[in-house]
Amino acid sequence: MQQKVAVYRKESFNAAHRLNNPLWDEEKNKIVFGKCNNPHYHGHNYDLIVKVIGIPDSQTGFVMDLKELSDIIQNNIVEKFDHRNLNEDCIEFKGLNPTAENIAIVIYNILKEKINPSLDIQVRLYETDRNFVEYPHHI
Ligand code: NI
């Protein structure tokens, strides 16, 4: 069987952030970023879904062992971002606005290094139940 299959693992983390563009004045930041511009930060309960696409292994029938995927996400993403202030505590967001879009790109780039390169991955990040992003967008 050579058909590709997508498998998914969902994890979650809680983190604080503030969206702000230092090139703009206070008023413009407030208008563009709304509550997410609150100077004293605020938190989100992020849900992270990692999609892995590949051909099931002939011995195991797995695209990827989901326990291993869970461990990779826990050790490299949750450990790094859970209960942190993304702006202040996380080097990845020095000079990078921690929008859901940018967080998803950062997470993808970290995970891509840790997962077998023969597999395609995609990250879906929920900032709220209704607002979520995917990166990359095309798979
Ligand atoms: Ni926010």
Side-chain angles (χ1 to χ4, degrees):
M1 299 268 273
Q2 293 296 298
Q3 287 93 340
K4 286 188 174 180
V5 178
V7 300
Y8 300 80
R9 178 70 194 183
K10 181 175 176 180
E11 303 287 346
S12 59
F13 59 93
N14 307 319
H17 77 165
R18 180 193 189 206
L19 302 184
N20 187 65
N21 184 335
L23 300 176
W24 297 341
D25 64 19
E26 213 174 293
E27 192 56 33
K28 180 158 185 190
N29 273 295
K30 243 182 231 169
I31 291 166
V32 173
F33 296 122
K35 286 181 178 174
C36 279
N37 183 243
N38 176 0
H40 295 146
Y41 304 96
H42 61 278
H44 290 282
N45 301 319
Y46 291 98
D47 276 332
L48 169 63
I49 296 174
V50 178
K51 177 182 189 178
V52 179
I53 299 167
I55 297 165
D57 180 83
S58 62
Q59 303 289 310
T60 62
F62 292 157
V63 170
M64 179 175 183
D65 182 337
L66 289 180
K67 174 69 170 82
E68 187 196 345
L69 179 57
S70 172
D71 289 345
I72 290 172
I73 301 168
Q74 284 291 333
N75 295 336
N76 297 282
I77 305 300
V78 176
E79 283 287 315
K80 189 185 276 283
F81 298 139
D82 189 42
H83 285 71
R84 300 287 159 74
N85 178 320
L86 298 177
N87 303 72
E88 297 292 327
D89 300 336
C90 300
I91 188 86
E92 291 81 0
F93 300 103
K94 289 278 173 260
L96 181 68
N97 223 8
T99 58
E101 290 87 332
N102 283 332
I103 300 169
I105 293 169
V106 164
I107 289 172
Y108 173 88
N109 288 335
I110 293 169
L111 292 178
K112 193 69 187 157
E113 294 296 310
K114 304 289 177 185
I115 291 171
N116 183 333
S118 70
L119 302 170
D120 287 319
I121 70 170
Q122 183 185 45
V123 164
R124 177 184 284 197
L125 183 71
Y126 287 82
E127 190 169 81
T128 70
D129 287 346
R130 295 174 185 229
N131 292 348
F132 57 98
V133 303
E134 279 185 339
Y135 180 77
H137 65 87
H138 54 76
I139 65 169

